[in-house]
Amino acid sequence: MTTFTTRITSMYTLNTPEPDYVVNVLYEVTGVDGTNTASIGGNTQFSSADQVGPVVPYADLTEAVVLSWIPAEAITSAQQCVQGQLDSMANPPVSPSNTALPWSA
């Protein structure tokens, strides 16, 4: 079973409509299956036109609050990509090899 974690790695801000208004969040989804670890980065952009509810002052933001802004389908998609990486580590795909023609020996 894979354990996934998501963490915010950085945030970009503008000073409008509020000081330090977050407009882009970069995050990393990591999966650990007990033996292997894999991760993938992602980002979500925001616009003040999409603002719902009051603006949370930058100093009051927590990682949990910012993580809640990332669409669930983006996290799910990242987890699926990480799981694919882990599956390939556990069971590496077989690659074909160029074999000499039997009649050319």
Side-chain angles (χ1 to χ4, degrees), residues 8-15 18-25 54-63 65-66 69:
I8 303 300
T9 58
S10 61
M11 296 191 299
Y12 291 82
T13 62
L14 292 175
N15 285 327
E18 299 283 334
D20 296 323
Y21 185 83
V22 177
V23 293
N24 193 8
V25 171
V55 173
V56 178
Y58 191 84
D60 294 342
L61 291 174
T62 64
E63 187 171 39
V65 167
V66 177
W69 298 345

Side-chain angles (χ1 to χ4, degrees), residues 32-99:
V32 179
D33 68 3
T35 303
N36 299 303
T37 301
S39 62
I40 191 170
N43 76 75
T44 299
Q45 296 182 353
F46 307 100
S47 166
S48 60
D50 300 328
Q51 177 69 36
V52 175
V55 173
V56 178
Y58 191 84
D60 294 342
L61 291 174
T62 64
E63 187 171 39
V65 167
V66 177
L67 285 170
S68 75
W69 298 345
I70 301 170
E73 59 271 11
I75 300 294
T76 299
S77 177
Q79 288 175 344
Q80 291 169 343
C81 289
V82 169
Q83 187 62 57
Q85 292 175 33
L86 292 169
D87 292 346
S88 290
M89 288 177 197
N91 298 302
V94 178
S95 298
S97 58
N98 186 356
T99 307

Side-chain angles (χ1 to χ4, degrees), residues 28-29 38 51:
E28 181 179 56
V29 174
Q51 177 69 36

